[in-house]
């Protein structure tokens, strides 16, 4: 099922009725962003969008792709599943494939992005149809590229080589702003480089098959290779090619490969940028990238991600990779955890289903979610439900909250703990209270409530679900 | 209305230059402010290109820029 590159995945989307190509003329702003916002507003089963007639660029030769994985059918197709696969089934399939980590990589030296090389006179705006995503963004951003770097203190460690997604402001034709937060792997690489007084070589690879960008947004351990995880999730060796100037490993199938350096010690105004919280980020002084070399396919495709108030494509791309990470970390200690749905604003809110061992058990699991690595910056609101409740089925979760949750007994508030600074409710930025809402059935020694006469499904309901599904075709 | 090419819509500095022009000639020009690194395209709505129309909550005073927090902080050399 592995897709060699973006173009192969686009062909699959097209065959599956999940691709819309718009060939009427559009200005770079605001039409393409508005279209991506609109498709996310309309449906969670929407298509990817291709624009191939962008004002100022040659029609047919400059293309922008948006909303590539911005729906559950597209997410399922990314995994090589039937496009109607239920979210919960996609979750368990993702978790199952993780077991094959680390998968193999395949080194190749014939990447299609080697077709054209530009070493001087670089103008990224002419190479790619860059555009402002949200009205008050400070400028044009690249926000779905794989950013690749190595640890300068351990440059030969393949696992510590990082592939991540970072927001990148295009400040000039060959000068970029980047946001490697201290807690990110790229932030650690930059710290080591700056402690050594060295610039940090990086590659920015644009236009990839969807698994590597999904894995790049996954909260993996520092020494876990995203390429080896992509191989596990794709069920096939992951092809990579060395970039000429930096020697960094790049997806074989990329459209555009930008090589450059983060300049040691330099910080410059960056932002605001409309973020996944649905709010602008404000401006800070952040690192700067000098671009030295660009390699690309003939007529490269610019894949970009619209981001803003949830839900957008960003929410689909991180929904299950975040949920599966939390699930695995919790289940390692608590096998009673049945499933985790942490797909709300990257896991600021999560729902965990669990089989209660004894009274207070679910609350303990909820508190533990806040102290796994991802939980330190997220998991502000945790809803605990019984293992008989599907955490991906919000009507079921709301039912559990409405009849099992008792505000006096079932609320745990943890004061003044860490959260990502982008959470607009945090005060000061990066500090918040967190809460567990326990909507599980009380277990002994707790005996409160009246839960002995649950209305079960009539006998044969599951069979009838199959019959009706078949009849609906 | 003639597109603004001299004053930054965001910080009002008169420190603006041409950033780039459209690959198909004559379609648009992009400008950038070398004080606050704001950029805009001549085809964009006046709400993001015209200094008086730019919303006050998104404006920035150039004097504030050197005092913005550095993220991440620059570490000490070994």
């Amino acid at each position: 099922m592995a897709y060699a590159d973006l173009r192969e995945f686009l062909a699959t989307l097209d065959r599956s009725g999940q691709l819309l190509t718009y060939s009427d003329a559009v200005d770079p702003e605001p039409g393409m962003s508005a279209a991506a916002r609109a498709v996310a507003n309309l449906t969670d089963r929407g298509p990817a969008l291709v624009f191939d007639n962008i004002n100022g660029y040659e029609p047919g030769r400059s293309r922008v792709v948006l909303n590539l994985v911005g729906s559950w059918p597209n997410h399922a197709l990314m995994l090589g599943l039937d496009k109607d696969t239920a979210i919960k089934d996609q979750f368990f399939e993702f978790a199952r494939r993780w077991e094959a980590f680390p998968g193999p990589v395949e080194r190749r030296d014939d990447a299609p992005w080697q077709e054209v090389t530009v070493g001087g006179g670089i103008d990224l705006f002419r190479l790619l149809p860059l555009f402002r995503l949200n009205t008050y963004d400070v400028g044009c951003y690249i926000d779905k590229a794989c950013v690749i770097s190595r640890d300068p203190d351990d440059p030969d460690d393949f696992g510590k080589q990082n592939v991540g997604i970072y927001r990148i402001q295009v400040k000039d034709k060959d000068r970029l702003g980047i946001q490697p937060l201290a807690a990110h792997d790229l932030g650690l690489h930059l710290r080591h480089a700056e402690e050594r007084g060295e610039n940090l070589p990086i590659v920015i690879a644009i236009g990839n098959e969807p698994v590597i960008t999904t894995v790049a947004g996954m909260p993996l351990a520092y020494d876990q290779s995203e390429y080896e995880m992509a191989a596990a999730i794709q069920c096939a060796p992951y092809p990579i090619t060395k970039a000429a100037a930096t020697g960094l490993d790049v997806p074989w199938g990329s459209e555009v490969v930008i090589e450059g350096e983060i300049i040691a010690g330099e910080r410059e105004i960056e932002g605001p940028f409309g973020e996944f919280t649905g709010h602008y980020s404000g401006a800070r002084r952040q690192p700067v990238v000098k671009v030295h070399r660009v390699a690309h396919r003939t007529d490269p495709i610019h894949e970009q991600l619209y981001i803003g108030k949830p839900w957008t494509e960003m929410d689909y791309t991180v929904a299950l990779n975040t949920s599966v990470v939390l699930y695995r970390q919790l289940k390692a200690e608590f096998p009673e955890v049945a499933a985790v749905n942490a797909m709300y604003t990257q896991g600021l809110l999560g729902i965990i289903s669990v089989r209660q061992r004894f009274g207070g058990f679910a609350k303990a699991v909820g508190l533990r979610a806040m102290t796994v690595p991802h939980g330190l910056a997220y998991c502000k609101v945790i809803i605990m439900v019984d293992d008989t409740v599907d955490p991906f089925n919000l009507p079921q979760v709301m039912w559990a909250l409405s009849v099992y949750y008792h505000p006096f007994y079932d609320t745990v508030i943890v004061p003044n703990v860490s959260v990502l600074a982008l959470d607009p409710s945090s005060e000061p930025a990066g500090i918040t209270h967190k809460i567990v809402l326990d909507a599980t059935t009380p277990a002994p020694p707790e005996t409160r409530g009246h839960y002995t006469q649950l209305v079960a499904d009539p006998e044969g309901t599951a069979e009838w679900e199959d019959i009706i599904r078949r009849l609906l075709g | 209305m003639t597109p603004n090419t001299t004053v930054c819509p965001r910080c009002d500095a008169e420190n603006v230059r041409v950033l780039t022009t459209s690959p198909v000639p004559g379609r648009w020009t992009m400008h950038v402010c070398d004080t606050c690194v704001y950029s805009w395209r001549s085809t964009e709505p006046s709400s993001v290109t015209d200094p008086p129309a730019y919303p006050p909550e998104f404006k920035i005073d150039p004097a504030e820029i050197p005092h913005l927090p550095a993220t991440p902080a620059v570490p000490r050399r070994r």
Side-chain angles (χ1 to χ4, degrees):
Chain A
M1 53 125 303
Y3 300 104
D5 56 16
L6 173 64
R7 294 174 192 224
E8 206 171 291
F9 185 57
L10 289 172
T12 294
L13 293 179
D14 197 21
R15 279 196 303 274
S16 308
Q18 288 296 126
L19 183 75
L20 199 63
T21 299
Y22 190 83
S23 296
D24 289 356
V26 290
D27 278 328
E29 299 90 4
M32 293 188 285
S33 283
R37 174 75 269 175
V39 76
N41 288 351
L42 285 172
T43 174
D44 63 359
R45 299 184 58 80
L49 304 174
V50 176
F51 295 88
D52 61 4
N53 186 1
I54 301 158
N55 184 21
Y57 296 90
E58 290 286 346
R61 297 193 59 189
S62 287
R63 284 167 287 175
V64 165
V65 172
L66 286 159
N67 210 50
L68 189 74
V69 191
S71 68
W72 291 119
N74 288 20
H75 193 281
L77 290 167
M78 171 185 76
L79 295 173
L81 303 172
D82 183 277
K83 71 176 184 176
D84 294 324
T85 305
I87 304 170
K88 190 178 178 183
D89 294 335
Q90 293 192 45
F91 167 84
F92 282 117
E93 179 61 15
F94 202 108
R96 187 189 69 76
R97 292 188 191 178
W98 183 317
E99 299 298 330
F101 174 83
V105 296
E106 179 192 4
R107 293 189 176 278
R108 299 181 60 171
D109 55 10
D110 59 344
W113 47 261
Q114 294 164 331
E115 281 172 4
V116 183
T117 302
V118 188
I122 295 165
D123 184 346
L124 295 177
F125 293 91
R126 285 177 164 249
L127 173 66
L128 294 169
L130 303 173
F131 60 103
R132 193 192 307 277
L133 278 166
N134 278 302
T135 309
Y136 298 113
D137 287 352
V138 66
C140 298
Y141 274 78
I142 294 166
D143 73 341
K144 204 186 176 189
C146 290
V147 178
I148 301 138
S149 59
R150 284 192 181 244
D151 186 339
D153 285 346
D154 201 356
D156 297 326
D157 189 314
F158 183 77
K160 290 181 182 173
Q161 177 175 248
N162 184 58
V163 183
I165 309 278
Y166 301 89
R167 77 186 208 197
I168 297 166
Q169 181 189 346
V170 186
K171 294 181 162 185
D172 210 333
K173 294 172 185 172
D174 60 355
R175 184 178 165 87
L176 313 168
I178 195 164
Q179 180 171 264
L181 299 181
H184 292 157
D185 291 350
L186 178 60
L188 196 57
H189 292 178
L190 178 61
R191 182 190 172 94
H192 292 169
E194 291 187 318
E195 285 174 347
R196 300 163 69 100
E198 298 171 1
N199 295 341
L200 181 71
I202 64 166
V203 163
I204 298 163
I206 299 171
N208 297 291
E209 57 73 34
V211 168
I212 191 61
T213 43
T214 298
V215 168
M218 199 166 174
L220 294 180
Y222 181 61
D223 59 357
Q224 289 181 326
S225 163
E226 284 79 9
Y227 293 129
E228 291 175 341
M229 181 60 77
I233 301 300
Q234 275 200 335
C235 310
Y238 199 83
I240 54 176
T241 301
K242 276 204 184 306
T246 54
L248 293 161
D249 296 309
V250 179
W252 173 87
S254 299
E255 294 283 324
V256 177
V257 172
I258 299 170
E259 292 187 88
E261 293 177 302
I262 302 182
I263 308 301
E266 195 164 331
R267 301 289 186 271
E268 184 182 78
I269 184 170
E270 190 270 1
F273 178 65
E275 274 286 1
F276 68 92
T277 59
H279 293 77
Y280 286 94
S281 65
R284 296 180 179 85
R285 287 185 300 121
Q286 298 193 159
V288 172
V289 176
K290 174 69 179 167
V291 175
H292 297 310
R293 190 173 186 278
V294 180
H296 62 86
R297 297 181 185 224
T298 304
D299 300 336
I301 300 173
H302 179 35
E303 197 221 342
Q304 181 71 341
L305 177 141
Y306 175 75
I307 187 169
K309 190 173 66 178
W311 274 52
T312 68
E313 184 192 356
M314 201 283 310
D315 297 285
Y316 293 96
T317 60
V318 301
L320 295 191
N321 64 17
T322 303
S323 299
V324 169
V325 170
L326 278 168
Y327 169 73
R328 286 178 56 89
Q329 290 172 347
L330 291 172
K331 201 162 179 73
E333 292 171 326
F334 302 114
E336 297 81 2
V337 171
V340 175
N341 172 3
M343 60 187 196
Y344 302 100
T345 322
Q346 292 195 6
L348 273 175
L349 186 150
I351 304 156
I352 301 169
S353 63
V354 67
R355 182 171 54 78
Q356 282 252 65
R357 273 165 55 190
F358 44 78
F361 182 77
K363 293 183 180 70
V365 174
L367 290 167
R368 183 72 183 95
M370 295 172 184
T371 54
V372 300
H374 187 71
L376 301 184
Y378 296 88
C379 297
K380 181 173 70 174
V381 179
I382 294 291
I383 300 169
M384 301 301 302
V385 295
D386 287 317
D387 60 336
T388 50
V389 173
D390 175 359
F392 295 97
N393 184 327
L394 288 190
Q396 282 190 23
V397 174
M398 292 300 113
W399 165 72
L401 261 181
S402 59
V403 303
Y404 289 98
Y405 168 70
H406 188 299
F408 184 80
Y409 297 108
D410 291 325
T411 306
V412 184
I413 293 178
V414 183
N416 295 314
V417 288
S418 61
V419 76
L420 83 162
L422 282 175
D423 176 1
S425 76
S426 62
E427 184 60 45
I431 296 292
T432 187
H433 286 22
K434 294 187 178 182
I435 189 167
V436 177
L437 304 173
D438 184 0
T440 58
T441 311
E446 285 189 293
T447 54
R448 61 192 161 76
H450 310 280
Y451 298 115
T452 56
Q453 296 183 358
L454 183 67
V455 182
D457 289 349
E459 197 175 329
T461 297
E463 288 77 11
W464 273 100
E465 285 181 10
D466 288 338
I467 293 167
I468 291 169
R469 201 178 286 126
R470 268 204 314 277
L471 290 173
L472 286 172
Chain B
M1 190 176 119
T2 310
N4 163 42
T5 60
T6 56
V7 180
C8 175
R10 180 197 191 197
C11 77
D12 296 313
E14 296 182 20
N15 191 17
V16 168
R17 64 180 164 87
V18 171
L19 172 58
T20 191
T21 56
S22 53
V24 175
R27 298 295 182 85
W28 44 257
T29 302
M30 291 188 77
H31 286 84
V32 63
C33 168
D34 278 331
T35 297
C36 76
V37 205
Y38 181 78
S39 60
W40 68 98
R41 197 184 319 260
S42 55
T43 48
E44 290 193 87
S46 62
S47 55
V48 297
T49 63
D50 181 26
Y54 206 76
E57 59 271 31
F58 287 100
K59 289 264 189 186
I60 189 164
D61 179 348
E64 290 175 18
I65 295 173
H67 306 294
L68 292 172
T71 312
V74 179
R76 189 188 295 266
R77 285 276 297 272
R78 287 177 192 160

